[in-house]
Amino acid sequence: MQMLTLCTSPKPVAKNRLTVHICAAVCDAGGAGVVTQQHLARLPQFFLTPGGPCPYLPGRVERKVFARLMGPHAGSLNDALTHSGFRRSQMIAYRPACDGCTACVSVRIVADEFAPSRSMRRIEKRNGDLMRMQVPAEATREQFAMLQPYLNSRHPGGGMSDISLFDYVAMVEETPVETIMFEYRLRGRDGKPGELLACALTDVLEDGLSMVYSFFAPSESERSLGTHMIIDHVRAAASRGLPYVYLGYWVNGSTKMGYKGRFRPLEALGPAGWSRLENCEELRRD
């Protein structure tokens, strides 16, 4: 997740294939199946951010298309936009719209078919003393105190490196959709939750869990807590009868995003829709 920077006078996006595709998705989410004036009124206006340095690929220029999520249909709209490759940041849904670059590819794990690798099973054994606690999407000072060293350790100089407590509260609590927080705590000797080691801000979609942002105590790096949280989200989705866990973008050529290709089976969003991937080399050939 990135803190989305919007221009003061954003440029509207002309109606195109993307708009038509989103309109159809919104209609499907509403159960109508046809495009009517009532459904067209729900369709948000899309805008483009100004160009800026790409956080994943050096020397590239990044732009995003975004829309505001608001009103009584924000949940179904967020579902439709997520299915179309968007991510949520507070009250905004966005996706890359970079000139001449399609390196960012939306990916999701098929939850009920997920098979952990041998190394993942070792990670789960290593984290057997953790408890997952589902709590409301409400920011706490305890969470923020863990976020700051995480950013300094893992993303120094990144877009969130100077995040304030006020910014963090907005990131967690400004949501128009069903959002939860998973806290991962050490299990105490009395069986009760103890020290906080990791957090995951997560949206609950109609067909899955979308991991909005996760972070952990950098002092516990040997636990591979990022991998553990993804595996645990797969379990949580399967237990809710939800078929997918949305991971955001796999970025061709980015070491930061390469880890997402380790989770199988994985589906990626392409021109023809979502399709199963055997390995990430398929993405590199596109």
Side-chain angles (χ1 to χ4, degrees):
M1 177 180 176
Q2 298 170 256
M3 300 296 285
L4 190 61
T5 302
L6 309 181
C7 48
T8 53
S9 300
K11 178 182 177 182
V13 178
K15 289 184 178 180
N16 53 18
R17 290 169 59 190
L18 169 65
T19 308
V20 172
H21 179 71
I22 298 301
C23 183
V26 172
C27 290
D28 288 344
V34 294
V35 179
T36 65
Q37 288 300 319
Q38 180 181 4
H39 285 93
L40 285 172
R42 298 185 198 174
L43 190 66
Q45 189 169 14
F46 293 90
F47 300 89
L48 283 171
T49 63
C54 176
Y56 304 119
L57 301 175
R60 302 285 185 93
V61 176
E62 175 193 56
R63 298 191 77 185
K64 291 186 175 75
V65 60
F66 71 93
R68 294 180 176 89
L69 297 169
M70 50 190 177
H73 302 293
S76 58
L77 177 60
N78 185 53
D79 276 17
L81 291 174
T82 300
H83 298 159
S84 300
F86 282 69
R87 296 284 285 162
R88 185 184 68 81
S89 176
Q90 296 169 231
M91 308 294 286
I92 298 294
Y94 69 90
R95 86 172 193 182
C98 309
D99 294 334
C101 181
T102 57
C104 295
V105 179
S106 295
V107 292
R108 65 189 185 186
I109 302 170
V110 182
D112 61 356
E113 297 180 37
F114 173 70
S117 65
R118 183 178 302 176
S119 64
M120 290 177 185
R121 291 195 294 269
R122 287 197 297 266
I123 290 170
E124 288 305 278
K125 185 176 180 180
R126 199 178 305 151
N127 289 289
D129 57 349
L130 295 187
M131 304 174 66
R132 182 222 304 152
M133 311 295 296
Q134 179 179 321
V135 298
E138 297 174 357
T140 67
R141 291 185 180 274
E142 183 184 25
Q143 296 165 2
F144 184 66
M146 187 174 65
L147 174 66
Q148 291 177 305
Y150 169 82
L151 292 172
N152 292 335
S153 172
R154 292 302 182 108
H155 305 288
M160 292 177 61
S161 59
D162 59 349
I163 188 172
S164 67
L165 177 59
F166 178 81
D167 294 330
Y168 178 66
V169 171
M171 183 182 89
V172 173
E173 299 185 8
E174 289 185 7
T175 172
V177 302
E178 184 181 355
T179 303
I180 57 178
M181 180 74 83
F182 283 157
E183 292 185 340
Y184 295 86
R185 295 179 177 273
L186 281 173
R187 182 183 291 105
R189 292 183 178 180
D190 57 0
K192 295 181 179 179
E195 181 184 357
L196 179 67
L197 294 189
C199 288
L201 184 67
T202 301
D203 285 348
V204 181
L205 308 179
E206 185 179 29
D207 70 343
L209 299 178
S210 176
M211 299 184 69
V212 177
Y213 194 75
S214 60
F215 55 99
F216 53 85
S219 60
E220 300 288 336
S221 59
E222 73 283 352
R223 286 178 173 269
S224 299
L225 287 164
T227 297
H228 170 68
M229 283 190 281
I230 293 176
I231 296 171
D232 188 68
H233 273 69
V234 172
R235 281 196 296 262
S239 69
R240 293 167 178 251
L242 300 174
Y244 302 113
V245 173
Y246 289 84
L247 297 181
Y249 303 112
W250 178 87
V251 184
N252 186 8
S254 171
T255 55
K256 293 181 181 179
M257 295 298 180
Y259 70 91
K260 297 180 182 181
R262 301 199 307 262
F263 297 89
R264 310 289 177 81
L266 196 67
E267 292 185 349
L269 180 62
W274 291 93
S275 60
R276 188 73 60 93
L277 292 175
E278 295 302 323
N279 58 64
C280 286
E281 291 300 324
E282 296 179 34
L283 294 175
R284 294 188 178 97
R285 290 196 296 267
D286 289 343

